[in-house]
Amino acid sequence: MRNGDSSQSGRLVRNLLPALLTVAILLAPRFASASDDPGDPVRPATENSSVDDPAPGEAPTPGGAAESAIGTKPAESPAAETTTLEKPYWRRNLFGRFFSDQKYLFTDWAKSEVRRPGFIIPVAVGTSIAFAGSRDADASQPDVTLERDLHSDTHGQSLGAAHFFTTLGDAPVGMLLIGTAYLTGRWTGHDRFAGAASLSAEAVLDTGLWVTVLKGLSARTRPSSTGQFFQYHPTGGQQAGSFPSGHTSGAFAAASVFAGMYREDHRWVPWAAYGTATLVGISRIALGRHFPTDVLVGAFIGDSFGRMVLARERGERPGSSQILPYYDPATHTEGAAWRRQW
């Protein structure tokens, strides 16, 4: 007999509480960056000098300190006006970023994603298969069949591996890993690593909010039955909250951020990130917690939120297009290229 997950309210607390703890981890420490301007050093006064004495190499000021006190204010150099730089996006208040994400989601991102074939087609296909399988009382649909076959074949070492990867996708463990990565990046001065961790926390929070909403709306029962939708008051030991997979969506949200931050110069990072997220999703099917369509839809939702956070961090607006000049040094050719942000 399969062990069920906790109730909907317990699940919500379990998902949000560790996220809030991680927020505290991310916001509490304030470390000085190596690039911070330490300010101009103060020249100490000596026994034979006063504050009126000029520095070596400077011309004396007529009238001494009195004139400097009542005279005109020296003009500030342009460099002095730009010494205080705005914090990078990933170091801003996490709560503020999270709340502004919700506005950006509806005003920009969602409208662009529903027009992007790479997102809307797999999500629509997965949802359609899930609905078709839920109406089949004899459990002959591929969604139900694949889940039961994989679950029945999971034992021994494969069962232990499934539990390991599911644990990586648990909210407390996942957020603890992200918080540790952030602190490690700040302590060691690796801002890109710290930034990836901070943006991952933001993406996971966004994903957790909307996956919780979708779970409540869809109310699909767990694989202990054939996965019926809209079972708001399940009976007979059934539990709702199967669609989509929260573990998978959170894992893919973090994977999307790390892959986007490192894919240009560390090609192995996307493979490692998405590979780990995929194993988290498979483990949910192998342990009998989710159907394959729950995992499929959850993966694309999490990946979308990860890309959304990266787009905000880079100041990109989805749906915008540009015509840019290009030059190929290998062939010594030049021309123009059209670039569109989906």
Side-chain angles (χ1 to χ4, degrees):
M1 181 176 181
R2 304 176 186 178
N3 295 325
D5 288 358
S6 58
S7 63
Q8 185 72 14
S9 60
R11 219 169 27 246
L12 179 61
V13 172
R14 185 187 63 187
N15 290 339
L16 295 184
L17 181 58
L20 295 177
L21 293 177
T22 303
V23 169
I25 294 176
L26 295 178
L27 295 180
R30 299 294 183 182
F31 301 103
S33 173
S35 61
D36 290 340
D37 185 6
D40 294 328
V42 178
R43 182 169 56 92
T46 62
E47 200 175 274
N48 299 321
S49 67
S50 69
V51 292
D52 300 330
D53 295 336
E58 292 182 356
T61 302
E67 182 169 337
S68 65
I70 63 175
T72 58
K73 180 181 179 181
E76 294 183 358
S77 64
E81 297 176 358
T82 59
T83 52
T84 303
L85 301 177
E86 187 179 3
K87 286 184 179 180
Y89 176 85
W90 59 269
R91 286 188 61 190
R92 298 177 193 171
N93 184 280
L94 182 58
F95 278 124
R97 284 152 46 196
F98 169 74
F99 286 116
S100 62
D101 281 346
Q102 312 318 310
K103 178 182 177 181
Y104 180 81
L105 173 65
F106 287 101
T107 59
D108 294 274
W109 189 254
K111 294 186 295 185
S112 174
E113 282 293 90
V114 297
R115 296 194 298 266
R116 194 174 72 88
F119 172 79
I120 195 62
I121 291 177
V123 169
V125 170
T127 304
S128 300
I129 295 175
F131 270 104
S134 69
R135 294 195 304 268
D136 192 351
D138 60 4
S140 62
Q141 290 290 337
D143 193 28
V144 179
T145 302
L146 288 173
E147 185 278 326
R148 294 185 175 178
D149 288 345
L150 182 58
H151 178 65
S152 62
D153 292 339
T154 303
H155 48 77
Q157 291 184 346
S158 60
L159 180 62
H163 279 294
F164 171 77
F165 284 105
T166 278
T167 301
L168 290 181
D170 286 342
V173 175
M175 298 304 283
L176 178 62
L177 291 174
I178 291 175
T180 303
Y182 176 81
L183 295 179
T184 301
R186 295 304 306 276
W187 277 333
T188 58
H190 290 81
D191 280 354
R192 179 161 58 162
F193 188 60
S198 177
L199 296 175
S200 294
E202 180 182 351
V204 170
L205 287 175
D206 290 332
T207 305
L209 171 64
W210 288 104
V211 165
T212 301
V213 171
L214 292 175
K215 283 175 176 287
L217 293 175
S218 63
R220 188 186 194 188
T221 55
R222 298 280 181 174
S224 56
S225 66
T226 54
Q228 296 88 351
F229 281 85
F230 312 122
Q231 302 300 308
Y232 300 109
H233 303 285
T235 59
Q238 298 180 357
Q239 292 182 344
S242 186
F243 184 89
S245 169
H247 282 68
T248 307
S249 60
F252 271 86
S256 178
V257 171
F258 275 92
M261 294 285 282
Y262 284 95
R263 65 165 31 100
E264 295 297 331
D265 52 352
H266 294 82
R267 300 291 181 87
W268 62 271
V269 173
W271 288 95
Y274 280 120
T276 302
T278 300
L279 291 174
V280 170
I282 293 175
S283 72
R284 301 303 289 164
I285 306 172
L287 295 176
R289 301 294 192 267
H290 287 285
F291 295 99
T293 51
D294 301 335
V295 170
L296 174 67
V297 174
F300 279 92
I301 289 175
D303 179 72
S304 178
F305 276 110
R307 290 185 292 103
M308 182 189 80
V309 169
L310 286 175
R312 293 209 64 203
E313 189 267 341
R314 295 166 180 172
E316 299 173 351
R317 296 191 67 85
S320 62
S321 60
Q322 294 175 295
I323 297 179
L324 303 172
Y326 79 90
Y327 174 74
D328 187 355
T331 59
H332 301 286
T333 58
E334 58 186 18
W338 180 64
R339 177 186 178 188
R340 177 174 175 81
Q341 285 292 339
W342 294 96

